[in-house]
Amino acid sequence: MPRYIFNRLWQSALTLVLASIVVFVGVRAIPGDPALAMAGEEADPATVAATRERLGLDKSILVQYFSFLGNLFRGDLGNSLRTGAPVTDLIGATLPVTLWLATYAIVIAVIVGVLAGVIAERFRGRWPEWIANIFAIVGLSVPNFWLGILAIMYLSVILGWFPASGYVPVLDNPITGLYYLTLPAIILGISLAAVIMRQTRASMIESMGSDYVRTARAKGLGRFRILFRYGLRNSLIVVMTIVGLQLGGLISGAVVTERIFGLPGFGKLTLDAVFTRDYPVIQAVVLVVTLAYILINLAVDVLYSVINPRIRVGGRK
């Protein structure tokens, strides 16, 4: 285990370096000049040139990259070109909002998806399975932004069950904070719940037809004990894989949901940075999302052996 984790860590460091190169070159391929955007469209060439020199954009891209890499190793992500605030402060203020939203959405998706998948397997060919399949089709096919607009219109404006927008820090007021995040988390987690439902159902069908389940039935074990102890436990590996892959995607993909519900999260920071060509913020956002993917997938690999002791990380059994 320690050797496996060490190998994954140096591979992760290499991945981060490669990601930094891609994002550094990529953001500079975005059309437009950030110096011109900061100086103003009516600024004279001398002012634009002075702004470009102040931002360090007058240097070669290689010099700019090594300067960025050196600052990165010191934990300095630079300052925003738009506001002048340290990028670490901006991320520290917005990332917790998205993490709370993504975690809440994951919890809702896992509970709903696993429960629907178990019901669909348990009642195959009957109306509960049809309802679960309809839910999965709707969750996979209907865009989140459309569901979010409908939810605000009916659940917030007409019925008044949830606030239409706003955010309260969860750590300051847990009940009110989660209340404000409930509707966005449901909308964000619907598509993930649909995926989990379909995969759980398929994995449960395979598990319930295996030899060890037939042996358990021959021993006289109860139906629900077999269902949850043998069928569901083995299906959780599939669920864990989906959650690990999707959590990083939720962090980066919550842009639309945060925009619809007016949440001051990571997505809003990303959009504002792209629109204003704020290079340091864009670079930091991509690196944070890349690091999230790496750490989450490492955690999922380790948790495999916890869910199923027959699985050992590093390819050994």
Side-chain angles (χ1 to χ4, degrees):
M1 176 76 76
R3 182 178 179 181
Y4 172 76
I5 294 177
F6 174 77
N7 289 333
R8 286 293 298 268
L9 287 177
W10 76 259
Q11 293 170 8
S12 301
L14 179 61
T15 302
L16 281 175
V17 172
L18 294 176
S20 69
I21 296 175
V22 172
V23 66
F24 192 86
V25 175
V27 296
R28 280 155 180 77
I30 298 175
D33 186 354
L36 180 61
M38 289 189 65
E41 296 291 338
E42 304 298 330
D44 58 273
T47 303
V48 175
T51 303
R52 187 177 290 109
E53 182 180 0
R54 178 169 58 85
L55 298 176
L57 299 176
D58 59 327
K59 300 180 176 64
S60 68
I61 189 171
L62 195 61
V63 173
Q64 292 182 50
Y65 174 72
F66 281 110
S67 176
F68 161 73
L69 202 61
N71 293 333
L72 183 63
F73 283 131
R74 293 194 297 268
D76 182 10
L77 297 176
N79 295 329
S80 170
L81 301 183
R82 181 170 59 93
T83 64
V87 176
T88 52
D89 293 347
L90 296 176
I91 292 178
T94 57
L95 185 57
V97 180
T98 303
L99 288 178
W100 278 110
L101 175 62
T103 303
Y104 199 2
I106 285 283
V107 172
I108 293 174
V110 170
I111 293 175
V112 174
V114 171
L115 184 60
V118 171
I119 292 174
E121 192 284 329
R122 178 66 183 82
F123 297 96
R124 272 186 291 169
R126 287 181 276 180
W127 65 267
E129 184 188 16
W130 302 339
I131 294 177
N133 286 330
I134 291 173
F135 160 76
I137 293 173
V138 171
L140 291 172
S141 59
V142 179
N144 282 353
F145 72 87
W146 190 74
L147 288 176
I149 294 173
L150 289 181
I152 291 175
M153 183 183 301
Y154 290 101
L155 299 182
S156 298
V157 176
I158 296 178
L159 298 177
W161 291 354
F162 300 98
S165 63
Y167 174 74
V168 175
V170 177
L171 295 180
D172 293 346
N173 193 330
I175 296 178
T176 305
L178 291 177
Y179 173 63
Y180 271 82
L181 286 177
T182 297
L183 191 57
I186 291 174
I187 299 301
L188 186 61
I190 283 179
S191 59
L192 178 57
V195 175
I196 293 176
M197 175 266 161
R198 297 292 296 175
Q199 295 296 331
T200 302
R201 174 185 174 276
S203 182
M204 287 282 293
I205 292 175
E206 181 180 356
S207 297
M208 295 303 289
S210 59
D211 292 338
Y212 59 83
V213 170
R214 284 192 288 268
T215 302
R217 287 172 178 163
K219 291 181 178 180
L221 296 180
R223 177 181 300 175
F224 284 97
R225 185 178 181 184
I226 294 174
L227 183 70
F228 288 97
R229 182 175 179 180
Y230 295 97
L232 182 59
R233 182 174 181 181
N234 288 281
S235 302
L236 287 178
I237 295 177
V238 177
V239 175
M240 184 64 65
T241 302
I242 296 172
V243 170
L245 293 174
Q246 292 295 324
L247 183 55
L250 287 179
I251 294 174
S252 60
V255 176
V256 176
T257 303
E258 290 180 356
R259 201 70 173 181
I260 291 174
F261 290 93
L263 298 176
F266 209 53
K268 183 179 183 300
L269 177 67
T270 304
L271 282 180
D272 292 341
V274 172
F275 289 150
T276 58
R277 303 175 187 87
D278 198 339
Y279 292 165
V281 176
I282 298 174
Q283 292 163 179
V285 164
V286 175
L287 290 179
V288 167
V289 173
T290 303
L291 182 61
Y293 269 107
I294 291 171
L295 295 179
I296 290 168
N297 282 292
L298 176 60
V300 168
D301 288 344
V302 174
L303 286 175
Y304 280 160
S305 61
V306 176
I307 296 175
N308 190 341
R310 293 176 299 174
I311 298 177
R312 292 291 182 266
V313 295
R316 296 181 179 179
K317 296 185 178 180

